[in-house]
Amino acid sequence: MIPYGHQWVDEDDIAAVVEVLRSDWLTQGPAVPRFEAALAAYCGSAHAVAANSATSALHLACLALGLGPGDRLWTSPLTFVASANCARYCGALVDFVDVEPHSGNLGVAALEEKLRVAERCGSLPKIVVPVHFAGASCDMAGIRALAERYGFRIIEDAAHALGGSYQGMPVGCCRYSDITVFSFHPVKPITTGEGGAALTNDPILAQRMALLRSHGITRAASALTEESHGPWYYEQQALGFNYRMTDFQAALGLSQLGKLDEFVRRRRWLACRYAEKLAGLPAQLPLCGDSSGDASAWHLYVVRIAAARRRAVFSLLHGAGIGAQVHYIPVHTQPYYRALGFRVGDLPVAESFYAQAISLPLYPGLATAEQDRVIATLAEALA
Ligand SMILES: *Cc1c(COP(=O)(O)O)cnc(C)c1O
């Protein structure tokens, strides 16, 4: 089966992990801060806080921004459930902003409209989480302008977008956001097995996330609120979690980060090849030409076909050994969110996007001959 996504792990990566396994530290050693520094340098942010998943990093980001019971977080419905669940962990309310029909990204016009209504009702959000669907950045300048007008904070869910850029700057530089979160799950741009990170330019937010990542405990002399009992002393200052990344995962991440540009180049080449070879089929293809400094990280290649044919085409692909996927079942239609009052029909653009979507295989190791098989099978299925 040709999967829709797959990690690239080679001998260098394995050697980097083995080196840590032979060292004194499996966790809380030198590899995690090294990976964090490299990630921050790559993205052009001041700080990076590594975590054991993007889900944990989203939770830390919400806590650091003070999200609590009664507060509201808005995100896209066309995403993985974690983008919304982070608010529920904090006891906050979730609402969704519909997406743009072409990009699948949270739409600035829809956001503005919803903010205008919320202002009248006294129900403005504390945090908005734009999701860079498939690896292409949302209109962050537009979202930031609204943040300044309506007073909300921004967490970019960039789980798909490490290696992409927006206005010529790397996604993760946090030029327009408070915090940017990445995932290192194996299908994402680089992997640490499980893993994630939160990037920020704000030293206070970075410090809060680092504290909450490790039980709310600090040992830093400068951060102590009471007199030290001695060299063994530590203080628990808040109710934190164990959301730490291990050192061997960070070593893998560091090794992978060195290959990221090559991974993205290969993904982009394959995406452009899909665009060229699928042109003319009854399918809507993602825009391939990157313009004005905006470059997708090409996490996913999502084509859209007539909703009535989607299930049959999906089955034909799987029957031919092509592990296509569907991104995403709109979060508000999940049973958990329907029990909170959401209904099918609430976010019509995301729902129609979902009904038509199929993600074709796209990953650095996808061979040209395999891609040709995907193209030929899809063409036959759509004929
Ligand atoms: C994968 C993903 C996450 C969660 O990442 P984990 O590292 O698996 O916790 C969150 N948001 C989006 C958009 C994702 O694709």
Side-chain angles (χ1 to χ4, degrees), residues 53-55 79-80 82-83 131 157 159-160 183 188 195 328:
S53 71
T55 302
T79 184
F80 186 57
S83 311
V131 179
D157 183 338
H160 300 180
S183 170
K188 304 291 164 73
Y328 283 97

Side-chain angles (χ1 to χ4, degrees), residues 8 189-190 256 259-267 364:
W8 175 285
I190 63 169
Q256 289 260 303
K259 298 165 193 175
L260 174 59
D261 288 342
E262 190 51 42
F263 290 165
V264 174
R265 242 194 314 278
R266 174 73 184 171
R267 285 175 177 275

Side-chain angles (χ1 to χ4, degrees), residues 4 51-58 78-84 129-134 157-161 181-188 192-197 299-300 327-328:
Y4 85 92
N52 59 2
S53 71
T55 302
S56 304
L58 284 164
L78 195 68
T79 184
F80 186 57
V81 294
S83 311
V129 180
V131 179
H132 304 318
F133 183 81
D157 183 338
H160 300 180
V181 168
F182 293 120
S183 170
F184 310 126
H185 179 279
V187 296
K188 304 291 164 73
T192 61
E194 298 285 359
H299 166 56
L300 299 172
H327 296 94
Y328 283 97

Side-chain angles (χ1 to χ4, degrees), residues 141-376:
I143 294 168
R144 178 57 181 253
L146 291 172
E148 270 155 30
R149 175 130 57 96
Y150 291 96
F152 58 83
R153 312 294 294 268
I154 302 172
I155 301 171
E156 294 176 68
D157 183 338
H160 300 180
L162 179 61
S165 57
Y166 172 69
Q167 293 185 345
M169 292 171 289
V171 171
C173 70
C174 301
R175 163 87 170 76
Y176 295 108
S177 64
D178 296 284
I179 297 170
T180 300
V181 168
F182 293 120
S183 170
F184 310 126
H185 179 279
V187 296
K188 304 291 164 73
I190 63 169
T191 191
T192 61
E194 298 285 359
L199 277 61
T200 184
N201 291 321
D202 182 334
I204 306 284
L205 290 177
Q207 199 182 355
R208 262 188 231 153
M209 291 192 286
L211 186 80
L212 293 167
R213 165 180 67 178
S214 196
H215 308 280
I217 285 174
T218 184
R219 294 170 186 277
S222 60
L224 298 181
T225 60
E226 299 186 8
E227 201 177 328
S228 170
H229 303 178
W232 62 86
Y233 188 68
Y234 60 82
E235 270 178 9
Q236 186 194 343
Q237 299 178 336
L239 184 63
F241 303 85
N242 183 349
Y243 281 170
R244 295 187 304 254
M245 175 180 278
T246 63
D247 254 41
F248 50 92
Q249 287 175 296
L252 178 55
L254 196 55
S255 174
Q256 289 260 303
L257 190 60
K259 298 165 193 175
L260 174 59
D261 288 342
E262 190 51 42
F263 290 165
V264 174
R265 242 194 314 278
R266 174 73 184 171
R267 285 175 177 275
R268 180 170 299 125
W269 185 81
L270 289 164
C272 292
R273 197 160 177 275
Y274 269 136
E276 189 185 308
K277 308 240 170 192
L278 297 174
L281 291 183
Q284 193 179 332
L285 309 176
L287 290 179
C288 198
D290 296 315
S291 62
S292 61
D294 298 355
S296 178
W298 289 109
H299 166 56
L300 299 172
Y301 193 83
V302 180
V303 302
R304 279 176 297 149
I305 61 171
R309 304 179 67 185
R310 200 262 306 269
R311 181 191 277 262
V313 169
F314 185 92
S315 299
L316 271 165
L317 290 170
H318 274 249
I322 295 162
Q325 248 306 353
V326 170
H327 296 94
Y328 283 97
I329 302 167
V331 177
H332 68 285
T333 68
Q334 294 288 355
Y336 172 80
Y337 282 95
R338 291 215 315 279
L340 294 175
F342 295 99
R343 296 281 171 265
V344 172
D346 285 349
L347 287 310
V349 185
E351 290 171 31
S352 127
F353 193 108
Y354 160 63
Q356 302 171 343
I358 294 193
S359 301
L360 301 181
L362 182 64
Y363 50 92
L366 180 68
T368 317
E370 291 173 321
Q371 190 186 29
D372 285 338
R373 236 178 81 208
V374 176
I375 292 163

Side-chain angles (χ1 to χ4, degrees), residues 124-142:
L124 284 169
K126 183 163 194 163
I127 296 176
V128 171
V129 180
V131 179
H132 304 318
F133 183 81
S137 178
C138 295
D139 176 359
M140 291 309 302

